[in-house]
Amino acid sequence: MEMALDTHVTALIPKVEISMYTMLFFSRCLSGLHGFFGHGRSISNERAKRTKIMFPVALSDEPDWDYMEQYAKNLMKRKYEQYLAYLDGSVV
């Protein structure tokens, strides 16, 4: 994967193969840290390595990839339904 980043952007690349939806779930969890990584406190490589984020875990004590994927899919479905309702004129 090729990309060009400046000094204020850190690429977070999964170590295991995960779906686009699971990456969206991670993205939402990281967005919740905006107070920790805010203006003047960017997410440098070193700070990213030290950051701990809690994710759902399956009974096997492994990350619950299915749950995370389904959660993101449900959020997108709900948002699409809101957009369609707006376009239909059924939402004021």
Side-chain angles (χ1 to χ4, degrees):
M1 173 185 317
E2 291 185 36
M3 61 186 93
L5 306 173
D6 70 11
T7 58
H8 299 287
V9 177
T10 299
L12 302 176
I13 301 169
K15 292 183 177 184
V16 297
E17 188 171 327
I18 57 176
S19 73
M20 172 190 79
Y21 297 101
T22 304
M23 285 191 256
L24 288 171
F25 184 93
F26 287 169
S27 172
R28 178 60 192 104
C29 291
L30 290 171
S31 295
L33 298 175
H34 68 274
F36 185 66
F37 298 117
H39 181 72
R41 296 189 69 195
S42 62
I43 184 169
S44 67
N45 288 340
E46 199 54 45
R47 291 185 74 209
K49 288 177 187 175
R50 291 191 315 256
T51 301
K52 303 290 184 213
I53 302 170
M54 293 182 5
F55 294 114
V57 176
L59 293 175
S60 63
D61 283 339
E62 294 293 318
D64 195 340
W65 305 116
D66 293 334
Y67 174 84
M68 291 183 262
E69 182 170 336
Q70 194 59 50
Y71 185 88
K73 284 179 178 179
N74 289 341
L75 285 179
M76 288 183 71
K77 179 180 179 279
R78 188 177 323 144
K79 199 44 106 171
Y80 287 147
E81 288 169 349
Q82 288 175 345
Y83 294 151
L84 291 173
Y86 175 79
L87 291 174
D88 261 359
S90 57
V91 174
V92 179

